[in-house]
Amino acid sequence: MDSSELTVHDTVYGTFSLPSYIRSVVETVEFDRLKQLKQLGTSNAVFKTALHTRYDHSLGACYLAGKLLDTLNKTLEVPVSDDERKCVMIAAALHDVGHGPFSHLWEKFVETYGSRWRHERSSVELARNILDLTGNVTEKQIILICALISGEASDLLDSGRQFLAHIVSSDVDVDRCDYLQRDAHNVPDIIQPSHAFRELFNRVRVVTEKRQGGKALLAYHCEDYPLVYEMACARQTFHRRCYQHPKVLGAELMMLDVMYEAERAGFRFTRNGQSEQLSKVHEKPDLFKYLSDNVTEEIAASSLPQLEKAKQLIERLRNDDLYSEITSFPVDMTREIVDFNEQQGAEVVVQAVRYIKSTEQWFHSFNVTFYKPGAQGIEMVSLEEAKQLHLHRAEPSVVPCESSAEEVHEYIIYCTSADPVVQRTVKHHFCKLLSGNVSR
């Protein structure tokens, strides 16, 4: 083994090595920050083992990208070049480097202040900064790496190399494969996959779609249809039981309120002589690269006046004293919440929207290609054909997840007060509204 390679001891895949150019990426401040970003945001307030990080996930996605490329090179007439491999693996490693604190919650926080910022934007900005520093890639490679991260690489690739664009960013990719496996490993009571999702890459091939100008596409063996479907089931199940669990959504609302209070109090994030209010830190990559989940520790330790409420909420989160879930409605209750809070003279009621597509909605929106062995080599098959081939097998595989899970769309009411009397008042009022069949 090359001594300059990066050795990773991973809880999901065991020990593996990554190339020296990945080591140079990992050893930057921007990448090291990912150790302080929990993969599942505030989910650990409810699921105590959900402590794995964006750092773990990013290295896992990079590892899977290498394995997928190894498989493709066994059958490709024009193998993936060293330069192509380098770009894909670096993109896999850096695809999440732009996430803010508490994962996707930070996008919600920033959006409150009028910015349509998404983490992919900062991922591209920070990736470019990292690659400019490391100096082991060309400008042309940096452009491709950034496009692979943003999902825009198809415009840069010839038709015969289009498959490279779908390894890091697509409906079935190394990102989704790793996070579902990693989440299942760290929050083990949610799903139990019948097989490791990475087994999808054992038989992946490149096929040419003649109807799309001869584009070369990633394709999965039709016999792996059940595992692709199981990924859709797993994602839906994780949203219902973990990502959008009512208590997790309540913890998100609390953390958002911490940030809102800090913003109102004029709290500024400061490093190395630079300073910015929280809602705008993402606009300064040289400052954003230091922002992590630890921002709550800085708020809690701040001597800034008017942070009392933020500090109280941080303490409640530490003590698992979450906003109390009251009930849920099929319609938006914003108007009723505003009226009630005005009557109480305080914001004691808040609402979270819980929307989860059904398994079928998710699966049928997947843009995934299948193939089957044929007399003239391999033949592309449609999603429906792959399904039928699976159903007609003598012993069809059983998908152990909840494949019939329906769409969820509801508005969950929470009481922000820790006072039992206030909680009872809120419960009485909104349960009475619910029993009256509130409609518009």
Side-chain angles (χ1 to χ4, degrees):
M1 184 182 72
D2 185 342
S3 60
S4 64
E5 288 185 343
L6 175 68
T7 300
V8 180
H9 302 291
D10 187 70
T11 58
V12 177
Y13 310 123
T15 300
F16 58 83
S17 296
L18 296 172
S20 58
Y21 54 77
I22 298 298
R23 173 189 281 278
S24 64
V25 163
V26 168
E27 290 177 344
T28 61
V29 170
E30 290 88 343
F31 197 90
D32 192 67
R33 178 184 75 106
L34 299 182
K35 292 178 180 176
Q36 309 303 324
L37 296 183
K38 289 186 287 297
Q39 177 76 12
L40 298 187
T42 61
S43 295
N44 68 298
V46 180
F47 302 95
K48 299 305 178 184
T49 57
L51 298 174
H52 52 300
T53 66
R54 292 277 164 187
Y55 183 94
D56 307 323
H57 164 60
S58 297
L59 293 179
C62 181
Y63 167 76
L64 290 184
K67 288 298 182 184
L68 190 155
L69 292 170
D70 289 342
T71 301
L72 292 179
N73 270 351
K74 294 175 183 177
T75 57
L76 277 173
E77 290 184 14
V78 181
V80 174
S81 69
D82 289 344
D83 281 349
E84 289 172 331
R85 184 184 185 90
K86 187 176 187 178
C87 289
V88 170
M89 291 192 68
I90 290 177
L94 294 178
H95 77 282
D96 271 354
V97 74
H99 263 289
F102 308 105
S103 197
H104 294 283
L105 176 145
W106 202 256
E107 293 170 336
K108 297 178 184 178
F109 168 67
V110 169
E111 191 169 324
T112 304
Y113 298 92
S115 175
R116 290 290 297 171
W117 172 83
R118 290 292 178 267
H119 75 271
E120 290 86 357
R121 175 182 134 191
S122 290
S123 289
V124 167
E125 292 173 344
L126 292 179
R128 175 167 279 283
N129 288 354
I130 289 170
L131 297 172
D132 284 341
L133 272 175
T134 59
N136 58 8
V137 287
T138 66
E139 177 61 24
K140 184 177 180 181
Q141 288 173 327
I142 292 176
I143 291 171
L144 178 56
I145 290 166
C146 290
L148 289 167
I149 293 171
S150 64
E152 299 169 342
S154 292
D155 296 336
L156 302 178
L157 296 166
D158 294 337
S159 59
R161 311 310 276 176
Q162 286 291 311
F163 66 92
L164 295 170
H166 303 295
I167 294 173
V168 177
S169 180
S170 66
D171 288 321
V172 180
D173 57 21
V174 296
D175 172 27
R176 183 168 294 171
C177 182
D178 181 82
Y179 82 65
L180 285 173
Q181 288 186 165
R182 196 166 298 279
D183 293 352
H185 177 84
N186 286 281
V187 194
D189 295 332
I190 306 298
I191 62 169
Q192 294 182 333
S194 62
H195 300 279
F197 292 125
R198 64 182 179 273
E199 290 182 15
L200 277 174
F201 302 143
N202 293 346
R203 297 191 286 188
V204 67
R205 299 284 291 272
V206 171
V207 299
T208 301
E209 171 56 85
K210 294 180 174 59
R211 291 174 296 179
Q212 296 185 29
K215 287 184 179 180
L217 307 174
L218 282 184
Y220 298 91
H221 198 294
C222 61
E223 291 182 2
D224 289 327
Y225 168 89
L227 196 53
V228 174
Y229 187 76
E230 190 173 340
M231 283 184 72
C233 296
R235 188 180 180 196
Q236 210 274 357
T237 302
F238 253 105
H239 270 273
R240 280 190 301 106
R241 295 187 177 182
C242 181
Y243 308 153
Q244 294 190 57
H245 186 288
K247 289 187 182 298
V248 171
L249 293 181
E252 280 194 359
L253 289 175
M254 288 188 78
M255 189 60 73
L256 283 170
D257 281 347
V258 169
M259 301 308 160
Y260 297 149
E261 288 297 321
E263 189 82 358
R264 280 193 281 267
F267 178 84
R268 297 177 72 87
F269 183 71
T270 303
R271 286 293 186 282
N272 301 331
Q274 287 196 79
S275 177
E276 187 56 86
Q277 60 193 91
L278 285 178
S279 64
K280 294 182 178 179
V281 176
H282 64 280
E283 296 175 358
K284 296 182 176 180
D286 286 341
L287 186 59
F288 185 67
K289 69 183 181 182
Y290 296 106
L291 185 65
S292 72
D293 292 0
N294 292 337
V295 67
T296 56
E297 304 300 321
E298 298 191 34
I299 294 171
S302 173
S303 58
L304 190 71
Q306 301 178 332
L307 276 177
E308 292 80 7
K309 185 175 179 181
K311 293 179 179 182
Q312 289 170 4
L313 289 173
I314 291 169
E315 189 63 23
R316 286 181 62 182
L317 281 163
R318 289 172 177 168
N319 294 328
D320 298 329
D321 181 16
L322 305 181
Y323 286 168
S324 178
E325 180 189 352
I326 301 301
T327 189
S328 64
F329 288 81
V331 295
D332 187 349
M333 298 298 289
T334 299
R335 189 180 67 203
E336 288 79 4
I337 290 170
V338 169
D339 290 345
F340 184 83
N341 285 337
E342 287 179 351
Q343 292 170 11
Q344 298 297 312
E347 192 176 271
V348 295
V349 180
V350 289
Q351 170 182 266
V353 182
R354 189 174 187 236
Y355 177 66
I356 308 166
K357 292 180 181 179
S358 71
T359 303
E360 289 300 318
Q361 285 172 316
W362 238 318
F363 184 63
H364 287 292
S365 69
F366 271 23
N367 182 15
V368 58
T369 302
F370 290 95
Y371 74 88
K372 67 178 180 180
Q376 305 301 317
I378 62 173
E379 303 173 7
M380 287 182 63
V381 295
S382 68
L383 190 68
E384 189 58 33
E385 287 175 301
K387 178 180 179 180
Q388 293 305 315
L389 285 168
H390 164 61
L391 291 175
H392 286 98
R393 289 174 61 188
E395 295 181 2
S397 300
V398 176
V399 177
C401 58
E402 296 161 73
S403 57
S404 61
E406 296 298 321
E407 179 184 53
V408 176
H409 195 182
E410 60 183 351
Y411 298 82
I412 305 176
I413 305 296
Y414 300 87
C415 179
T416 66
S417 174
D419 185 338
V421 175
V422 176
Q423 291 176 2
R424 284 195 294 272
T425 301
V426 171
K427 190 172 186 67
H428 174 76
H429 179 82
F430 282 92
C431 287
K432 186 175 180 181
L433 283 178
L434 182 63
S435 65
N437 274 332
V438 175
S439 60
R440 305 292 170 89

